[in-house]
Amino acid sequence: MENDVGEVLISQEQIREKTKELGRRIAQDYEGKNPLLICVLKGGLMFLADLMREIHMPLEIDFMAVSSYGDATESSGVVRILMDLERNIRGRHVLIVEDIIDTGRTLNYIIENLHTRGPASIKVCTLLDKPARRLLDIPLDYVGFEIPDRFVIGYGLDFGEIYRNLPFVGVLKPELYS
Ligand code: IMP
Ligand code: MG
């Protein structure tokens, strides 16, 4: 599997440092607010697991699964909820934890949907931001890394459901997806 990686874009060490920094900022910003971190599955799983350990304060987590990609590297634009939250978010300070914001269509859908449930606030924390392909202008409150317009894998991100368990963010060798 490691042999399929053409280049490591963001190393484990870089992710570790960035996660610490974001965790510190989030803990400061949410002091006394018992935030609810909403992890968008499956890609956000690894980031949530590391990030929450760097937020040294009481918090809660919940999960939501949406689908916007088939097995291809292009967004379909159609977003579906595959699994909904367990908790009621009315009056809660919600922090959406995402792996990557690409066109923004998935996040836009999630935010609009969560808004109807009456949370006290909604903010977004994403590990990766790919601004080159953005179709919808959505404010991102916490961003780990801005990356160029390349299809990335690892640290939760997949290609055809594979490579999520790589501990770093990399790009595939081009011959594997063209
Ligand atoms: P958007 O709706 O176009 O912003 O796409 C967001 C979702 O598409 C992410 O949550 C990922 O699941 C997936 N995605 C976007 N870019 C990549 C990538 O480079 N690698 C893997 N998955 C991606
Ligand atoms: Mg995702």
Side-chain angles (χ1 to χ4, degrees):
M1 187 180 57
E2 273 84 352
N3 289 337
D4 297 348
V5 177
E7 186 190 332
V8 175
L9 271 193
I10 305 166
S11 70
Q12 261 182 290
E13 189 51 38
Q14 283 174 292
I15 295 172
R16 202 161 22 234
E17 276 173 28
K18 187 61 77 176
T19 307
K20 274 196 168 61
E21 176 196 320
L22 290 173
R24 260 198 309 272
R25 279 178 52 203
I26 291 167
Q28 272 169 16
D29 295 351
Y30 283 92
E31 207 189 331
K33 288 186 171 165
N34 184 24
L36 178 64
L37 274 54
I38 294 182
C39 173
V40 183
L41 295 172
K42 303 168 194 166
L45 176 70
M46 217 181 279
F47 184 39
L48 174 83
D50 285 339
L51 180 68
M52 65 189 285
R53 278 178 276 193
E54 299 296 344
I55 305 174
H56 300 284
M57 63 186 295
L59 58 79
E60 293 173 44
I61 61 170
D62 206 342
F63 298 89
M64 192 167 182
V66 298
S67 119
S68 56
Y69 269 44
D71 275 347
T73 59
E74 289 293 322
S75 171
S76 65
V78 179
V79 182
R80 262 186 326 138
I81 293 185
L82 304 177
M83 189 191 94
D84 207 345
L85 302 172
E86 181 192 31
R87 313 293 311 273
N88 185 344
I89 64 169
R90 179 163 299 280
R92 298 298 305 269
H93 291 284
V94 164
L95 180 61
I96 299 171
V97 179
E98 261 282 24
D99 50 359
I100 186 167
I101 312 300
D102 187 18
T103 64
R105 288 198 271 219
T106 308
L107 182 64
N108 185 63
Y109 176 84
I110 292 171
I111 290 175
E112 283 188 352
N113 184 287
L114 295 183
H115 256 305
T116 65
R117 310 184 195 193
S121 68
I122 300 181
K123 283 192 185 184
V124 180
C125 178
T126 184
L127 178 71
L128 305 174
D129 179 15
K130 216 194 266 182
R133 285 166 44 94
R134 194 66 38 81
L135 295 175
L136 297 160
D137 184 31
I138 308 164
L140 304 177
D141 304 277
Y142 308 94
V143 175
F145 303 91
E146 211 173 271
I147 61 167
D149 184 11
R150 307 187 61 188
F151 191 80
V152 293
I153 47 153
Y155 200 74
L157 292 143
D158 72 302
F159 176 63
E161 292 298 325
I162 311 294
Y163 306 108
R164 293 191 196 276
N165 52 331
L166 289 172
F168 52 81
V169 175
V171 290
L172 280 178
K173 290 179 176 160
E175 62 264 32
L176 289 169
Y177 61 86
S178 51

